Every structure is written in C-alpha cells, then in structure tokens.
Amino acid sequence: MDETGGAERGTTERVLTLLGLLQQRQVWTGPELAGRLGVTSRTVRRDVERLRALGYQVHAGQGIGGGYRLGPGQDLPPLLLDDEEAIATAVSLLAGADSAVAGAGDAAIRALAKLDTVLPARLRHEVRALSGAVESFGGGRVPVDPEVLMTLARACRDEVEAGFDYPSGGRVGRRRVEPYRLVTSDRRWYLLAYDLDRDGWRSFRVDRMAAVAARTFRFRPRPAPDAAAYVQEGVASRAYPHQARFLLHAPAATVRAQVPASAAVVRERGSDRCELVSGAGSLDYVLMHVVALGHDFEVLDPPELGERCRELARRLASAGTVRPSG
C-alpha cells in the first residue's frame, strides 16, 4: 500500500514538473524532457497524455523544430511558479494595485488574494521587502499599505469580520464590520462593509484606516447594494452637507466624459438626457460646475436651488446690461 502511494506521489510530482517545464519555454523535444525528468521518452508521452486528460492543450510536432508545446485552452489552467516567479508576480500585482488603467487595480487585488492562498510563508518577507522598493509618480491613487489591502481582501474572500480604527466626528473609534468588497476610484481605495455597531452599510476610505485586523468570527453575507454604485454615490453626494439633482439635456456618455466619477453620479435618462447627482459644502458650488458643463439643464432637487438659479440669473442679466458711460 505504501509502495503504491509512493508511486502515485512520484507520478504526480513528475507530471507537475513536466507542466512547469512546458510553461517555461515554447517548445521542448521528447529527449530534452526525458533528460530533465530522468525518465524514458515513452514515459514522457504517457505523462503528456495525463496532462491532456486534465484539460491542458499539449501539442506534439514532428521533424525539425518539432516537439512538445503547451497551447492555450478554452479555460485558463493553473500556473506553476517557482519561488522567484511567485515573488515577481506578487510584487508586480502590488504595483498594479495602484495602476491608473481602468479596472487594473481591482484585478490585481483579486489576483493577489488568490495568490495569497498558495504563497509559502517563507516568501512573504521577500514580497514585502521588494514591494517597499516600488515607487510611482504622477496622479495615481492616494497611497495605502499593501498589507492592509491584503488583510481586507482576505477578509472579504473568507467572509470573516474585520476591525479597524477610523476617524469620525472629530474622534477616532474602533469599527467592527462585515467586509463585502474593495472598491477603487480614480484616486482612492474604499471598503464597502456592513457596520455592526451602526447596523447599516457604510463605505470607508482605506487610507484613513489604522490597526486593521481580520477577526475569527465568520458571517453569512447579507443582501448587499451594488458596491461600486454605493461607494460612488457616497463619495460624490452623501459625504457632503448639501446634495443636488439635475436633469441635463445631454447624453450620459458626454457628461461622464466631462465629470470625474468621484465628483458626480450620472444616470441615463433616455438617449439625449441624463440625471446628475452631486454634493458639496455649498449648493452654489455645485450649480457653478453644472453651468460650466455647457448644457441646458433643470433643477430636480432641492426646490430652493431653483430659486437660487432665478436669483443668479437676475444678477447675471444685470451684470450684462450695457449702461451709457458718463
């Protein structure tokens, strides 16, 4: 029984080694693979068939330039990475988490969460050391600790509670949450989570968190709002003391190209109209920016903003009146 188990482990290890070799370069000849694996060419052929049975597209060519080649399949197969490749991948993903490319940051964090499940503990120190040597310039996101992102990503994935210190109302307090999603804007990372002490959904800026830790308490996910839409509306509107809604006589795509996603929510209202929702410390400030967009518009909310428009219109009309000199 032990001999059989040992033989199975030997075959499995050999097949995984063969897969790793095929992922390293484009073409291998049969004798080259046999030499690397310490087996016969016949055993190589059998192991190739085992890989094909697992769904890997291994092509075999004859003649000069022929050999075994790993081709693309319909599904993405698992990759085998050695230590150096795993470290390089993790560091690249950490750098990609701050990418300005749309969606790249989200994808990098998801990939990091997957890589984290298989990354050996001995490599974590090297990943942290190398990631600390990566810098960026330009209008990227507000810097956040990669370890904090990883902690929150793992908590979202594993459905365990998280805790962190967070400023609110002029003081810093401890928050207990059920983390749901990490969301990125053009400049910041946010966490959408269910706040257990306030009994409701909240969005939190990751760069404002401190002492972030995953807890051991598991939870069953609640029905959740759309993460990106909830966070965007909070950033653009709910976070401010004054909110306003406008109906713009312009396509939503046109207005979205004019307004940063962090400044306003733009919703389609037909092919040539859209609704814009935004907030600010002053309604005049919102109104000024909507006027500057250059489209006809109507005030939907709040009602007093309509009166403010009429008052400003009278002032503008008066300022534009030509008075005789002297």
Side-chain angles (χ1 to χ4, degrees):
M1 191 74 175
D2 290 341
E3 292 180 358
T4 302
E8 290 177 352
R9 285 195 297 273
T11 300
T12 300
E13 292 171 2
R14 190 180 65 245
V15 171
L16 288 174
T17 302
L18 171 60
L19 177 59
L21 290 171
L22 291 172
Q23 290 176 345
Q24 284 181 13
R25 83 183 197 200
Q26 190 171 9
V27 178
W28 292 84
T29 67
E32 285 176 329
L33 291 173
R36 286 295 193 98
L37 298 171
V39 297
T40 65
S41 294
R42 182 180 179 183
T43 300
V44 170
R45 289 194 294 272
R46 287 201 300 265
D47 289 347
V48 166
E49 289 302 322
R50 291 186 175 99
L51 288 176
R52 287 169 176 164
L54 292 172
Y56 292 93
Q57 301 295 316
V58 183
H59 305 293
Q62 303 296 323
I64 298 176
Y68 293 103
R69 176 173 58 85
L70 188 64
Q74 292 182 342
D75 300 315
L76 182 66
L79 299 174
L80 292 181
L81 303 175
D82 60 27
D83 286 6
E84 291 183 357
E85 292 168 339
I87 292 172
T89 300
V91 171
S92 298
L93 289 170
L94 285 169
D98 195 38
S99 172
V101 178
D106 293 328
I109 286 297
R110 290 198 302 271
L112 268 172
K114 293 178 181 178
L115 183 61
D116 177 70
T117 63
V118 296
L119 191 67
R122 68 179 185 276
L123 301 182
R124 296 181 191 276
H125 175 73
E126 293 191 50
V127 169
R128 286 195 294 269
L130 285 174
S131 64
V134 177
E135 297 287 349
S136 62
F137 65 91
R141 292 194 180 99
V142 173
V144 296
D145 186 346
E147 289 291 334
V148 170
L149 285 177
M150 286 303 304
T151 298
L152 295 173
R154 285 193 294 264
C156 292
R157 177 197 67 200
D158 299 337
E159 297 175 356
V160 295
E161 293 181 14
F164 48 85
D165 296 338
Y166 198 79
S168 178
R171 57 181 294 273
V172 176
R174 192 69 180 170
R175 310 295 280 266
R176 296 184 311 117
V177 303
E178 295 175 354
Y180 179 64
R181 289 287 188 277
L182 282 166
V183 178
T184 59
S185 72
D186 50 351
R187 290 190 55 80
R188 293 187 174 90
W189 283 96
Y190 297 88
L191 174 71
L192 174 64
Y194 191 86
D195 192 317
L196 294 169
D197 295 320
R198 290 159 178 77
D199 196 24
W201 291 98
R202 298 288 189 276
S203 60
F204 303 92
R205 274 178 50 175
V206 175
D207 60 289
R208 289 182 174 175
M209 296 179 181
V212 179
R215 296 159 58 87
T216 57
F217 301 107
R218 296 185 62 85
F219 63 88
R220 179 175 296 177
R222 308 166 186 264
D226 179 273
Y230 184 93
V231 172
Q232 184 194 7
E233 188 166 344
V235 170
S237 177
R238 288 193 305 268
Y240 295 98
H242 299 284
Q243 294 82 40
R245 291 193 308 127
F246 303 88
L247 181 66
L248 272 64
H249 294 249
T254 300
V255 177
R256 288 193 184 108
Q258 295 177 285
V259 182
S262 58
V265 178
V266 180
R267 304 187 180 106
E268 289 190 11
R269 290 293 182 263
S271 60
D272 58 351
R273 297 194 303 174
C274 64
E275 179 182 327
L276 184 145
V277 181
S278 186
S282 163
L283 287 176
D284 282 357
Y285 184 84
V286 180
L287 185 58
M288 176 184 69
H289 281 275
V290 172
V291 170
L293 294 177
H295 309 297
D296 291 340
F297 67 91
E298 303 166 30
V299 174
L300 299 178
D301 280 311
E304 60 267 26
L305 188 55
E307 177 56 36
R308 185 63 178 159
C309 286
R310 290 186 287 273
E311 180 182 343
L312 290 176
R314 288 193 294 270
R315 289 186 182 180
L316 291 170
S318 175
T321 302
V322 179
R323 295 181 175 85
S325 59

